[in-house]
Amino acid sequence: MNPFVFACITPHGGEIIPELQGEKPERMEKTRKSMGRLGALMDKARPDSLIVLTPHGTRINGQFAVAVSERLEGEAAENGSSFMMERKTDLMLASSILAEAEAKGLPAAGINYGTSAGPLSCLPLDWGAIVPLRFMPEVPVVVITPSREITYEQHIAFGRAIRKAAGESGRKVGLIASCDWSHTHDSEGPYGYHPAAEELDRRTAELIESGRLEDLALFDPELVENAKPDGIWQTLILAGAVPEEERHSRLLSFEAPTYFGLICAAYYQNREAREND
């Protein structure tokens, strides 16, 4: 049985946040609308906690990093504006995920800062978490950052560990894979232009729509290097957490209005929920 009341793939470009859209709100309008819809669907599912998979949190080379600070606090800035956020950590769920990872022999570590507990136990909340959480219900979170030194297969296995921990938690859990895609869509962007960006994002959208998320692991390493996505790793964790037979999915939108690709996708708890949306 699917232990997640709702799951989704979201982007995390700062301008998606309405408070940071600046003077060109049309630039990410399609994505902003999709994020509003994903937030409404998550709110309707009434989760007790949210697990956020982000590539931009505190990284540990060769290990999955699970935040176990009592709270997280951060700021996203864009177009001369800023947006602050603070969230409490679901420490029991975070500890259960770490225990399941250890039981499966997966490299994972809890990370903290300042003090072991209390208000000074606080880690930075990165923009990969802040952007999707801006649209989601304000409940405790577990923030997890994968490592690219770990194999794709281990990412899928870590997703299975998350699934087991969520299922045994007694909580209603939502899952967010925060993913921007290829970063070489625009010659004026920081990584320049490469035609691989369009190819990888097109193929990714097809795999998300068809439910074949594991096939992301089959992309040619040269294609990945040239396109420079940051979504493969979080999506493979989602693939382990929500197996193919339970992926009642819908691709909501895809666009690349600047130098990086933005994809929004919903994963409903069952087929009935998908058909009734």
Side-chain angles (χ1 to χ4, degrees):
M1 179 180 175
N2 186 350
F4 302 103
V5 293
F6 186 69
C8 54
I9 295 173
T10 73
H12 47 253
E15 288 186 36
I16 299 168
I17 293 178
E19 292 86 347
L20 305 181
Q21 64 187 14
E23 298 178 354
K24 296 182 178 180
E26 71 282 356
R27 184 154 55 190
M28 296 186 182
E29 183 177 6
K30 180 192 293 187
T31 296
R32 197 174 296 115
K33 288 180 178 178
S34 292
M35 291 290 280
R37 184 175 176 190
L38 290 174
L41 288 167
M42 186 71 82
D43 191 58
K44 183 179 179 180
R46 301 179 64 81
D48 300 312
S49 305
L50 296 173
I51 297 172
V52 186
L53 312 172
T54 169
H56 300 304
T58 304
R59 299 185 182 189
I60 305 175
N61 290 343
Q63 291 189 294
F64 297 101
V66 181
V68 293
S69 56
E70 190 155 312
R71 65 189 185 91
L72 302 110
E73 184 178 71
E75 177 182 15
E78 202 81 49
N79 296 317
S81 299
S82 63
F83 180 81
M84 298 289 298
M85 177 178 287
E86 181 180 358
R87 290 290 184 271
K88 292 183 178 180
T89 299
D90 186 333
L91 291 171
M92 184 175 294
L93 181 56
S95 298
S96 296
I97 291 170
L98 285 166
E100 288 298 334
E102 182 179 3
K104 292 181 181 294
L106 295 168
I111 54 173
N112 201 343
Y113 178 80
T115 60
S116 59
L120 296 180
S121 172
C122 182
L123 280 167
L125 193 63
D126 69 281
W127 69 96
I130 291 173
V131 174
L133 287 175
R134 160 61 179 80
F135 297 86
M136 301 293 164
E138 191 169 336
V139 296
V141 301
V142 177
V143 174
I144 300 172
T145 302
S147 170
R148 298 186 187 185
E149 289 77 22
I150 302 173
T151 67
Y152 287 155
E153 291 75 15
Q154 287 174 303
H155 281 76
I156 294 172
F158 187 74
R160 297 189 186 111
I162 290 176
R163 174 187 177 87
K164 186 175 180 184
E168 294 177 352
S169 69
R171 288 163 165 73
K172 297 170 67 177
V173 179
L175 179 61
I176 302 167
S178 179
C179 309
D180 285 342
W181 294 91
S182 297
H183 283 62
T184 55
H185 281 281
D186 188 344
S187 61
E188 300 297 319
Y191 305 101
Y193 169 78
H194 199 286
E198 182 179 354
E199 178 185 353
L200 187 142
D201 283 4
R202 174 184 53 79
R203 290 171 61 184
T204 295
E206 291 171 355
L207 292 175
I208 289 173
E209 193 163 27
S210 67
R212 303 192 328 272
L213 300 181
E214 289 85 355
D215 286 0
L216 291 169
L218 304 179
F219 283 168
D220 187 289
E222 184 176 359
L223 175 70
V224 175
E225 173 59 29
N226 290 332
K228 296 184 173 15
D230 73 8
I232 292 175
W233 299 266
Q234 299 86 259
T235 303
L236 289 176
I237 295 175
L238 188 150
V242 183
E244 187 170 359
E245 65 272 14
E246 294 180 2
R247 288 178 204 152
H248 308 290
S249 59
R250 176 171 288 141
L251 180 69
L252 299 187
S253 62
F254 163 66
E255 62 175 341
T258 60
Y259 66 92
F260 54 96
L262 309 172
I263 291 176
C264 293
Y267 291 84
Y268 303 82
Q269 189 174 44
N270 51 55
R271 182 175 288 104
E272 182 181 2
R274 183 189 184 281
E275 292 174 352
N276 288 339
D277 176 37

